[in-house]
Amino acid sequence: MHHRRFVALTLAALGGLAATGMSSPSDACSPTRPVPGDQLAEVAGTVPLDGVVVARVRCEVDCPEGTPVLVVKDKETGDVVAGAQELAAVELATEQESVLVFRPAAPLAEGHTYSVTLEGQDPSLGVQGETRASADLDLGVGAHPMTASVSVEESWYGGPSCCDIRSTCGSEQVCVAREVERYVVFGLHTSEAARDGAGQFVQTVTFLSPDGAELGERTIWSWDGNVEHTYESSAPEYCYQVTYKSLIDGATIEQERTCVPHGDAGATGVFPTDMEASGHSIGRCSSPPEGFEDVWCAAREDCEAESEQVREGCSVTTGGGASSGWALSAVGLALALAGRVGRRRTPGRAGRADRCSDRRPR
């Protein structure tokens, strides 16, 4: 795998999507500042009467020492629920997140809604979660298979070349390579039928080869759990096994191995980049990316040759702000770059023509 971690751009992103995304409003340019301290990130929305309240807590900056404490309150009566708290499986913990399990001292009341907060947290800064107690919650999670998907995604193959553009967010980059690598992403997510009950379980997903060999393992908790595994090359089918461990009593439920065919997801391997789709993004650069001078010049000439309305949008290539109108119209432009590289230049563009001709192969 070459530089897959370096770029997550697909051809769709380099086409109209990249241009559209770079025309976002200026207020979207300011990075969101994390709230200091522990923050409630997720609470399982439904809990059985004799179940546990489970919450994910996140902290990004100014994290206090020790484990945060959940406060569960009956919204019908206003009473704080007595109980004990513990951390869920250590496999679920990350540097920024932990999963807390609150065990009520007595069964919860049918149909009551309970607020979930963090002890000592300023209400104006924290997020309040809610969970509802239900006697009808289906805990037969093992009977509901996870929903699987097989897709082929792309990343640049080899070292991409990048160039700078200007947008409403300041200087940004567009990257391109001559080839892309297509690989399989096998995804799993909790079945709709098991979403509520899944909040009472830790799920361990083991990815398997068709011959039964273990390829990787992922442990998750969420009422809407999702996991993925990447395969560099395609296989006739992709297999997995799920083990559920109850947070109520520690019992486990193990599903049988399940295999999903590759189907018509597409071919994997290394393929040439579609320069026609990516040319307009390259043309927005203030100077060409190394090795792509011909594409850059052709794209900028096409921009000049368009109508007055399009030319106004094309002005971003010379340093103006990004135009969402241009970005949207660029999605439909067929540049036919290879055929236009050597075309005759019209009067009035001699300066740019000379600049481009120096970089073109003869």
Side-chain angles (χ1 to χ4, degrees):
M1 194 67 57
H2 296 268
H3 298 273
R4 181 167 298 157
R5 301 300 180 203
F6 176 67
V7 285
L9 292 176
T10 61
L11 290 185
L14 251 188
L17 296 182
T20 304
M22 291 175 182
S23 301
S24 55
S26 57
D27 57 359
C29 302
S30 301
T32 302
R33 295 183 179 180
V35 178
D38 294 317
Q39 301 295 318
L40 203 61
E42 182 182 14
V43 177
T46 312
V47 59
L49 305 187
D50 58 351
V52 294
V53 177
V54 192
R56 186 187 304 277
V57 177
R58 182 177 182 85
C59 184
E60 297 183 4
V61 295
D62 298 335
C63 301
E65 295 183 2
T67 302
V69 177
L70 295 177
V71 178
V72 180
K73 181 182 292 187
D74 189 332
K75 297 187 70 173
E76 310 293 330
T77 65
D79 297 333
V80 174
V81 178
Q85 177 187 287
E86 63 191 50
L87 283 170
V90 293
E91 292 88 348
L92 302 179
T94 66
E95 292 184 0
Q96 295 183 326
E97 289 188 339
S98 58
V99 175
L100 304 180
V101 178
F102 179 83
R103 299 183 181 278
L108 300 176
E110 165 68 24
H112 283 213
T113 299
Y114 296 83
S115 66
V116 182
T117 56
L118 295 180
E119 185 179 74
Q121 188 172 66
D122 185 341
S124 65
L125 299 177
V127 177
Q128 176 176 292
E130 287 187 352
T131 189
R132 181 177 177 275
S134 172
D136 298 327
L137 187 62
D138 181 9
L139 294 179
V141 179
H144 304 297
M146 299 187 80
T147 302
S149 62
V150 179
S151 61
V152 172
E153 299 184 6
E154 296 177 339
S155 66
W156 300 128
Y157 182 80
S161 294
C162 301
C163 55
D164 294 326
I165 66 170
R166 289 188 180 181
S167 72
T168 53
C169 292
S171 179
E172 298 181 24
Q173 281 194 327
V174 168
C175 297
V176 66
R178 293 291 177 183
E179 295 177 312
V180 295
E181 183 177 20
R182 296 175 184 167
Y183 52 93
V184 172
V185 175
F186 180 47
L188 295 166
H189 65 270
T190 304
S191 170
E192 185 75 20
R195 289 178 69 175
D196 288 334
Q200 298 292 299
F201 293 85
V202 171
Q203 305 167 52
T204 301
V205 179
T206 303
F207 296 95
L208 307 166
S209 65
D211 61 4
E214 293 189 8
L215 302 177
E217 191 175 87
R218 177 81 177 274
T219 302
I220 57 172
W221 170 82
S222 177
W223 66 276
D224 190 17
N226 294 275
V227 291
E228 290 184 344
H229 189 72
T230 299
Y231 297 80
E232 296 187 14
S233 58
S234 61
E237 59 184 6
Y238 310 93
C239 304
Y240 68 97
Q241 188 171 35
V242 183
T243 300
Y244 298 90
K245 181 179 180 180
S246 171
L247 291 170
I248 301 175
D249 57 13
T252 60
I253 302 173
E254 187 173 277
Q255 286 187 306
E256 295 183 359
R257 185 180 72 164
T258 302
C259 295
V260 180
H262 182 84
D264 58 356
T268 58
V270 178
F271 298 87
T273 298
D274 183 353
M275 290 301 170
E276 183 174 332
S278 61
H280 68 81
S281 292
I282 297 173
R284 299 177 66 198
C285 297
S286 55
S287 60
E290 183 178 356
F292 294 87
E293 291 82 0
D294 55 340
V295 179
W296 180 79
C297 289
R300 290 165 72 91
E301 287 177 4
D302 285 335
C303 199
E304 283 193 337
E306 296 297 335
S307 65
E308 181 66 29
Q309 180 179 0
V310 175
R311 284 204 303 274
E312 291 176 0
C314 287
S315 64
V316 298
T317 62
T318 59
S323 165
S324 59
W326 174 83
L328 294 174
S329 64
V331 178
L333 291 179
L335 301 180
L337 301 179
R340 301 188 184 186
V341 167
R343 70 181 180 184
R344 179 176 297 178
R345 298 170 181 77
T346 57
R349 290 187 284 137
R352 179 161 297 169
D354 292 342
R355 181 179 183 183
C356 290
S357 62
D358 293 340
R359 293 184 170 87
R360 291 188 178 182
R362 299 185 182 276

